[in-house]
Amino acid sequence: AQSVSQHNHHVILSEAASLELGCNYSYGGTVNLFWYVQYPGQHLQLLLKYFSGDPLVKGIKGFEAEFIKSKFSFNLRKPSVQWSDTAEYFCAVSYTGGFKTIFGAGTRLFVKA
Amino acid sequence: EAGVAQSPRYKIIEKRQSVAFWCNPISGHATLYWYQQILGQGPKLLIQFQNNGVVDDSQLPKDRFSAERLKGVDSTLKIQPAKLEDSAVYLCASSNQGYEQYFGPGTRLTVT
């Protein structure tokens, strides 16, 4: 079965620290990849997406992610986190030609001021 | 533009009772999704509609869950009868000819 794995369930960082959240997906062909974020008390919203082209994609608020096809990975990065980045982050994959989007279990990030 | 609307925001029921959730997607979005998000887990797709037809309902427990999308616009998700393990947040999302989904605020269901 197709699946998405997020390596860390909880991450605690101090402001200005660098962030990398891991995401791996099971092989299933051509994929579209997403990172969604849910800030406290808010809806899930799209952070960034990859459909094709440059494997390094940039999203909102200084986030970026790199698609490494050989590793089935789509890790999220930010060079310097802020207190306002405290949120839950979800990696999601949809397989081209299929319809279902599969979400990872999420990573809760807490940034200490 | 207005976002995805859901109601109610919270619901508490006893097991074996029934409950219904409503979703109004973003205007013009042909695809509508219902997800179940259990505490500590990511959203799990229950059912996906394209206009008013079902695209995927492989993970919908059809013995107790049902969903409809009349006229290809708003949608209702029903649980009858509810079980304790149905306690979760039920998310509705919509998209327009793409894979980017816009989510509503969710309905938090507690079954006691």
Side-chain angles (χ1 to χ4, degrees), chain A residues 32 34 36 43-44 46 49 51 90 94 96-101 103-105, chain B residues 35 37 40-43 45 48 55-56 58-59 91 99-101 103-105:
Chain A
N32 297 309
F34 308 84
Y36 285 87
H43 309 180
L44 266 169
L46 185 70
K49 61 187 177 185
F51 285 178
F90 293 92
S94 63
T96 304
F99 298 99
K100 186 186 302 182
T101 300
F103 283 79
Chain B
Y35 289 90
Q37 186 175 16
Q41 300 180 20
L45 181 69
Q48 179 177 338
V55 171
D56 189 317
S58 58
Q59 297 190 99
L91 297 168
Y99 295 87
E100 177 180 347
Q101 297 177 37
F103 285 84

Side-chain angles (χ1 to χ4, degrees), chain B:
Chain B
E1 64 183 357
V4 176
Q6 289 188 248
S7 67
R9 293 293 309 278
Y10 305 91
K11 189 74 177 179
I12 301 174
I13 61 172
E14 296 181 351
K15 59 184 179 183
R16 291 187 289 274
Q17 286 186 323
S18 62
V19 64
F21 312 127
W22 174 82
C23 172
N24 190 33
I26 292 173
S27 178
H29 280 193
T31 310
L32 186 147
Y33 314 77
W34 282 104
Y35 289 90
Q36 180 192 59
Q37 186 175 16
I38 292 172
L39 188 64
Q41 300 180 20
K44 182 183 84 171
L45 181 69
L46 293 176
I47 189 167
Q48 179 177 338
F49 293 95
Q50 182 75 14
N51 296 307
N52 60 350
V54 175
V55 171
D56 189 317
D57 63 357
S58 58
Q59 297 190 99
L60 186 73
K62 298 181 185 63
D63 57 334
R64 298 184 300 106
F65 286 64
S66 64
E68 59 182 8
R69 190 184 185 195
L70 299 176
K71 301 181 181 178
V73 182
D74 55 354
S75 175
T76 56
L77 175 70
K78 297 178 182 177
I79 308 175
Q80 182 180 8
K83 293 184 176 181
L84 295 177
E85 59 260 36
D86 298 332
S87 294
V89 175
Y90 290 85
L91 297 168
C92 180
S94 68
S95 69
N96 182 26
Q97 296 184 344
Y99 295 87
E100 177 180 347
Q101 297 177 37
Y102 295 82
F103 285 84
T107 296
R108 184 177 297 277
L109 173 67
T110 302
V111 182
T112 63

